[in-house]
Amino acid sequence: MLVRFCAAAFVSILTIGAAQAQVRAPSRLPDPRTEFVRQCAPRMLGRWEHPEEVCGCLHDHAAAAVEDRDLREALLRGISETGVPTIETDWVPASKQSEIGPTFTKIAKPTLQCMFDPAK
């Protein structure tokens, strides 16, 4: 009888522990901004005093100025892979490749602001 009671108590503890673990550890998807800064900052080391600030600013201001999702994602990819705003033509659909130049015109001012005065 004591063995059954101990076995039941052990199973109860395991069940409660598993349920609490599920409640405490919800599946967390990485924040896109944080992930971008994590990938971008190493490319900015040595160029800027505060690479995380520059990367965060580029994400929040320069890339945010681009309304088109495909162009914005290509721009973010270019920055995180090279450390400078760039868009490869094969990163965007052929129908949007003519918009690459105007996109750089649109982001020029916020990009310069981010690179030379990211605190503002």
Side-chain angles (χ1 to χ4, degrees), residues 36-101:
F36 171 77
V37 172
R38 185 188 69 74
Q39 292 176 0
C40 170
R43 307 271 186 234
M44 300 291 184
L45 289 174
R47 293 188 215 179
W48 308 107
E49 188 174 336
H50 303 287
E52 293 85 7
E53 288 180 24
V54 173
C55 292
C57 183
L58 288 170
H59 182 277
D60 296 346
H61 299 286
V66 181
E67 293 91 13
D68 183 84
R69 182 178 181 213
D70 292 324
L71 289 165
R72 183 175 50 253
E73 287 179 7
L75 175 64
L76 290 171
R77 178 180 174 182
I79 295 169
S80 66
E81 289 182 5
T82 65
V84 295
T86 187
I87 299 175
E88 296 290 331
T89 54
D90 61 330
W91 294 346
V92 293
S95 62
K96 296 180 182 179
Q97 290 177 1
S98 64
E99 298 175 42
I100 293 173

Side-chain angles (χ1 to χ4, degrees), residues 3-21:
V3 173
R4 286 183 189 172
F5 177 74
C6 289
F10 181 72
V11 170
S12 296
I13 290 171
L14 286 178
T15 304
I16 290 170
Q20 287 177 344

Side-chain angles (χ1 to χ4, degrees), residues 20-36:
Q20 287 177 344
Q22 288 177 353
V23 171
R24 278 187 260 153
S27 116
R28 293 185 185 199
L29 298 173
D31 172 38
R33 182 184 189 279
T34 302
E35 185 62 19
F36 171 77

Side-chain angles (χ1 to χ4, degrees), residues 75 85-88 99-109 111:
L75 175 64
T86 187
I87 299 175
E88 296 290 331
E99 298 175 42
I100 293 173
T103 297
F104 283 113
T105 300
K106 184 178 234 176
I107 67 161
K109 184 176 180 180
T111 297

